[in-house]
Amino acid sequence: MIQPQSMEELASYVEHKGKTVFFFTADWCGDCRFIKPFLPEIEAENPDFTFVEVDRDQYMPVAQKWDVYGIPSLVVVEDGREIGRYVNRDRKTKSQINDFLASL
């Protein structure tokens, strides 16, 4: 999982060629911590996607612009255009995330 170190680096993944999953998270988020152990498996099972972790607190302007208020949330962009989102406050399971990605 890519962890951008600047707003510029994060922005570069929006225009990245192919499908990019932006995983919005925060250190204090219990549901985010629930998902994190499964993320390497989710990445391995979805090789057509690039995964980028977005610390919601560090990149609050991005979260606000993209209407991401509940975390953990996933926004998928392909060639600079949003193609899907799984945004809500509910705990997400590995199978739910894989089903969401398979639908794109």
Side-chain angles (χ1 to χ4, degrees), residues 42-72:
I42 292 170
E43 285 185 83
E45 293 168 8
N46 296 279
D48 294 338
F49 294 85
T50 299
F51 288 80
V52 178
E53 183 175 328
V54 182
D55 183 311
R56 202 271 326 248
D57 294 340
Q58 182 178 354
Y59 296 105
M60 183 61 78
V62 175
Q64 290 173 332
K65 183 176 181 179
W66 289 10
D67 294 323
V68 175
Y69 295 102
I71 55 173

Side-chain angles (χ1 to χ4, degrees), residues 11-25:
S12 73
Y13 291 106
V14 175
E15 297 299 325
H16 185 260
K17 191 146 182 76
K19 296 177 184 175
T20 303
V21 178
F22 292 90
F23 173 64
F24 286 83
T25 184

Side-chain angles (χ1 to χ4, degrees), residues 13-103:
Y13 291 106
V14 175
E15 297 299 325
H16 185 260
K17 191 146 182 76
K19 296 177 184 175
T20 303
V21 178
F22 292 90
F23 173 64
F24 286 83
T25 184
D27 289 340
W28 51 263
C29 171
D31 290 340
C32 301
R33 287 193 305 267
F34 173 79
I35 292 173
K36 283 196 178 191
F38 303 109
L39 287 176
E41 295 171 31
I42 292 170
E43 285 185 83
E45 293 168 8
N46 296 279
D48 294 338
F49 294 85
T50 299
F51 288 80
V52 178
E53 183 175 328
V54 182
D55 183 311
R56 202 271 326 248
D57 294 340
Q58 182 178 354
Y59 296 105
M60 183 61 78
V62 175
Q64 290 173 332
K65 183 176 181 179
W66 289 10
D67 294 323
V68 175
Y69 295 102
I71 55 173
S73 291
L74 298 101
V75 177
V76 182
V77 174
E78 183 174 25
D79 302 329
R81 184 179 61 83
E82 183 179 321
I83 61 167
R85 61 174 46 217
Y86 194 5
V87 176
N88 59 41
R89 294 175 186 247
D90 297 335
R91 177 174 282 185
K92 295 155 187 67
T93 65
K94 178 184 168 190
S95 63
Q96 288 172 319
I97 293 171
N98 277 330
D99 290 347
F100 163 69
L101 295 175
S103 74

